[in-house]
Amino acid sequence: MADSARPAGVAPKVVVRPAAIRENAAAIRSRFDGRLVGVTKGACGDPAVAGAMLSGGVAGIADSRTRNLERIRDRFDAETTQLVGPMPDAADRVVATADRSLNTEPTVIAELGAAARRRDRIHDVVLMVDVGDRREGVLPEDLASVFRAALDCEGVRVAGVGANLGCFGGVLPTADRIETFVDAVERAEAEVGERFDVVSGGSTVTLPLVEAGTLPDRVNELRVGEAILLGTDVARDRTIPYLRGDAFELRAAVVECKRKPSTPEGERGRTPDGERPTFEDRGRRERALLALGEQDAVLSELDPVADGIRVLGGSSDHTVLDVTDADREVEIGDVVGFRPGYRALVRAFTSEYVGREVEGATDDEGEGPNGADRDVGGSAGDLSP
Ligand SMILES: *Cc1c(COP(=O)(O)O)cnc(C)c1O
């Protein structure tokens, strides 16, 4: 199969399919009667990803890094939200870049207000409440006092209130968690005598409530990343049936093909990741080695696109495949494609060694994840349809 136009030694790359991202955003939008904010942090704020979300109808883009939002701001006239509470000394940059930020600390809100006043702007803050997951957020009983402090802060406007679930404690947004959230919101409103316009009720994990029609009306915004990017919901271990799972494909070239015994031979210690893996003796098998490793992806999260290929594991710079049952013979220089999981996607986008190619893009949009020139030449082989 070494007949096509692919050069040998192709560097690993992520192929982005904007059409899939756009369709996923539109599919969620059509089910949710509120603001859908697209979260790009899983793809390092990639402008092609942000652009596809926006053309799918999201109301704005959110990312955890100011640097990612800066690239988005440069190209799109869209609302931007900083997801991770800014460090106080970063307030000026956040105010310059983001229209909104999620916040929990009155001192940080004060810094944002001061930075906004210096720039003669108003910065929108969304106050986060911890309703059980125990990552960011003020406890429900403290919401009113933080709300008051934010209202008193010149330069900021309280745009709304939000909650995040499923990220640290793995807590799901069940009816009782959402009720806890809405109760906290309404109690703080009653105490302070002001209303939150935006009630931002979660992320991908909240979608089942949207599907079931059980999300309270007060929740009028969702911030969704994983579902739009990958069509999955890791917290519930599900593939979302109305979404596409082919928005990203990680590709790498085969650098060795050999028939080898399926078990190691010799006295064994630990592997570099501290494990003592066990191996099933399946006799001699066809192995293929890829120039792609843990530094570029989370290998256990790679799902081969072609049938009959198994990821056996790897090391920081190699991936070992069993290709005995592949549809056709695998050769040196072939390109193998994978659907990455969320962590694998993040790592591929942050790895300096992984290029990026946007399907159907002009040269200008096809640059590397950090704006650097990357060797992303070559089209995929037959193993990567
Ligand atoms: C990452 C993040 C999201 C998006 O989460 P997904 O699971 O990718 O949908 C939403 N809100 C906050 C605060 C986040 O950090």
Side-chain angles (χ1 to χ4, degrees), residues 331-362:
E331 296 176 356
I332 305 281
D334 281 346
V335 173
V336 182
F338 302 91
R339 301 258 178 272
Y342 194 86
R343 290 181 310 144
L345 183 73
V346 173
R347 203 172 292 172
F349 266 95
T350 44
S351 170
E352 235 189 88
Y353 307 102
V354 180
R356 154 191 171 284
E357 182 183 290
V358 179
E359 234 175 48
T362 59

Side-chain angles (χ1 to χ4, degrees), residues 307-323:
D307 288 337
I309 295 180
R310 279 177 56 217
V311 178
L312 297 175
S315 62
S316 61
D317 48 6
H318 286 90
T319 303
V320 183
L321 305 177
D322 184 328
V323 296

Side-chain angles (χ1 to χ4, degrees), residues 358-380:
V358 179
E359 234 175 48
T362 59
D363 282 356
D364 182 44
E365 299 162 324
E367 72 193 36
N370 299 312
D373 278 339
R374 299 290 172 81
D375 173 16
V376 294
S379 56

Side-chain angles (χ1 to χ4, degrees), residues 232-250:
T232 56
D233 174 359
V234 163
R236 286 194 162 85
D237 193 21
R238 71 172 185 143
T239 300
I240 303 173
Y242 52 90
L243 299 178
R244 287 176 63 168
D246 64 344
F248 299 94
E249 189 177 314
L250 180 58

